[in-house]
Amino acid sequence: MLQRTSLFLLLNATFLLAAEEGHGGGDPLLPYKWINFAILAVLLLFAVLRYLLPMLNERSAAIQKDLAASREQVAQAEARIRELEAKLSNFDQELAGIRTRMSEERAAEATRISTQTAALLEKVQAQYALEVANTAKVAEQNLRAFTAEKALELAEARLRAEQSSSAQGGLVDSFVQDLKKVSAN
């Protein structure tokens, strides 16, 4: 519709200009030049409207699409920046929280290690007491065995000293008398 209206107005203007020029006695080819100009203008207008305008519309649409995508990316970047700023603003609080947790964990670990050390120390002391008791028993047994051995050695030495040949004869006589008594009863 725009093309037809533009063509009609252009042709009217051309004929009006051509009619005015014909009265003055100037160039007899001037009306034809204006018609030629009008045809060229219509063809140029047609080419612009037919090819250039759709191409410009497509390019405009592509630019609008790119602008929308850019705005969306900017919005996403701003949202990411706000998110990072929020994290940074909470960074000190998070760091304090982490330090507090680490202190609590360190204290709990120290308590656990202390408890384990105390339990291990009790086990070692119990084992030490058991080993001391066992060593004392073994030493007592060895001492008794040694004492008994020395007592036997002393008794044997006394018996040898006391037993001379006359003492042996007295012992034999006393043994014989004991036998007589037993047989008499």
Side-chain angles (χ1 to χ4, degrees):
M1 173 93 177
L2 182 64
Q3 291 174 345
R4 289 182 188 162
T5 306
S6 300
L7 180 63
F8 177 72
L9 290 174
L10 189 61
L11 286 176
N12 278 338
T14 305
F15 285 121
L16 284 173
L17 287 173
E20 282 182 18
E21 291 293 325
H23 296 303
D27 186 13
L29 296 177
L30 188 62
Y32 297 109
K33 287 180 183 179
W34 278 106
I35 291 173
N36 192 21
F37 173 73
I39 291 171
L40 286 174
V42 168
L43 288 175
L44 182 62
L45 182 64
F46 175 76
V48 165
L49 293 177
R50 175 79 175 173
Y51 299 108
L52 189 61
L53 195 60
M55 184 178 69
L56 291 175
N57 285 339
E58 287 176 19
R59 181 67 182 146
S60 176
I63 290 171
Q64 290 298 325
K65 183 179 175 184
D66 288 345
L67 283 174
S70 296
R71 285 186 192 118
E72 184 177 332
Q73 288 177 349
V74 166
Q76 289 174 353
E78 288 174 350
R80 181 76 175 140
I81 287 171
R82 284 190 299 273
E83 179 182 325
L84 289 174
E85 286 175 348
K87 283 184 179 180
L88 284 176
S89 68
N90 293 333
F91 182 73
D92 292 335
Q93 294 171 351
E94 288 181 26
L95 188 59
I98 289 171
R99 285 182 180 156
T100 303
R101 278 182 285 169
M102 292 303 291
S103 298
E104 291 170 356
E105 288 176 7
R106 196 175 320 133
E109 187 67 17
T111 303
R112 184 186 64 80
I113 289 172
S114 176
T115 304
Q116 285 181 344
T117 303
L120 185 60
L121 185 61
E122 287 177 13
K123 286 181 183 179
V124 167
Q125 287 175 344
Q127 187 176 0
Y128 176 72
L130 185 61
E131 286 181 16
V132 166
N134 287 338
T135 304
K137 283 182 185 179
V138 168
E140 185 180 335
Q141 288 174 355
N142 289 341
L143 184 60
R144 283 185 185 171
F146 177 75
T147 305
E149 184 180 326
K150 290 301 176 184
L152 284 176
E153 287 176 5
L154 282 175
E156 188 178 311
R158 273 192 198 165
L159 280 175
R160 283 192 189 135
E162 288 180 9
Q163 288 184 356
S164 57
S165 49
S166 63
Q168 285 181 5
L171 280 176
V172 171
D173 286 338
S174 108
F175 180 66
V176 171
Q177 284 179 3
D178 284 339
L179 280 177
K180 285 183 187 178
K181 284 182 189 176
V182 171
S183 29
N185 281 336

